[in-house]
Structure formats: structure tokens, C-alpha cells
Amino acid sequence: MKSLSRFLHFPLFVQLIWAFCVLGTLINLWLIAHDLLTDPVLFRLHLGYLILYVGQVVFILLEEKYVSALTVLQGIIALLTTVDFIFTPLLQAIGHTYYWLFSPSIESLKVYQYVFVALGFTLQMAGAAYLFFYFRLKTSR
């Protein structure tokens, strides 16, 4: 009950990050189960993301300012591997909506892939900075 009360007093951006981390946890659990039932080539990668997401979910609820280190680490790993940023589901929904509305050309889609990665990484780093400074200021009071 105490964690729920704390969570409800977080700013909207922190709540959004937390919700997307919970979603990332569930998605990676599903991907791990899929890996175990089929080809386990990406099992370790999905397990690593699961650990990062669960860590962020727990550390946000504990108001730990160093959750930002996990967020930065996830951003770097996502940039180098499978583009699994915290805000990927939101960016995918926007991308699918844009595609449905405007039916862009193949050349445009290649450009949008770079934009997607840049936006995902930028939002990830902004989220990490926000979490660090929000929890740092909160604990210094």
C-alpha cells in the first residue's frame, strides 16, 4: 500500500517510465518463453532485458536515484542490439499510425527507421536524466 501511495505521488513522466518498464518486463517474459519453446538464440538477450526492466520497476518504486544507471545501460544495449528502448511501444504505435494514415514510400521508411532509433535513444537518455535528478532532489530534501 505504501508503494502504491508513493507511486501515485510521482510525476506523470516517472509513472509513464514505470508503466513502460512493466510492459517491457511482460514482453520479455513472453519472448523468453517463446525462446525456450522454439530457438533459444536470443534467450540471453531477452533475459538481460528482463533483468534491466525488472530492476527499473523495483528501483523506481524504491525511489533509488541510481535507477538511471540501469536506464542508461539499457539505452546503450538497445542502441547496439535490438532497439528495445523503454519507449519503443509508444514509438511503434505512432509509427504504425503514421504508416496507416500516409502509406510512406520504402525510401521514407528507411529514413524513419533512423528517426525511430534516434527518438528512442533520446527519450531513453532523457528518462535516465529525469529519474536521476528527480530522485536525487527528492532524497536531498
Side-chain angles (χ1 to χ4, degrees), residues 3 9 17 33 50-51 55 58 62 68 71 95 98 104 108 132:
S3 295
H9 288 89
I17 290 171
L50 177 68
I51 291 167
V58 171
L62 293 175
S68 59
T71 307
Y98 181 81
S108 296
F132 179 78

Side-chain angles (χ1 to χ4, degrees), residues 100-139:
W100 180 72
L101 289 174
F102 301 107
S103 299
S105 68
I106 298 296
E107 294 167 353
S108 296
L109 290 176
K110 289 184 180 189
V111 171
Y112 293 133
Q113 287 175 342
Y114 290 109
V115 171
F116 173 86
V117 172
L119 272 174
F121 187 72
T122 301
L123 285 170
Q124 186 87 15
M125 294 304 114
Y130 190 87
L131 288 170
F132 179 78
F133 289 113
Y134 174 73
F135 289 132
R136 182 173 180 222
L137 289 173
K138 191 167 181 160
T139 57

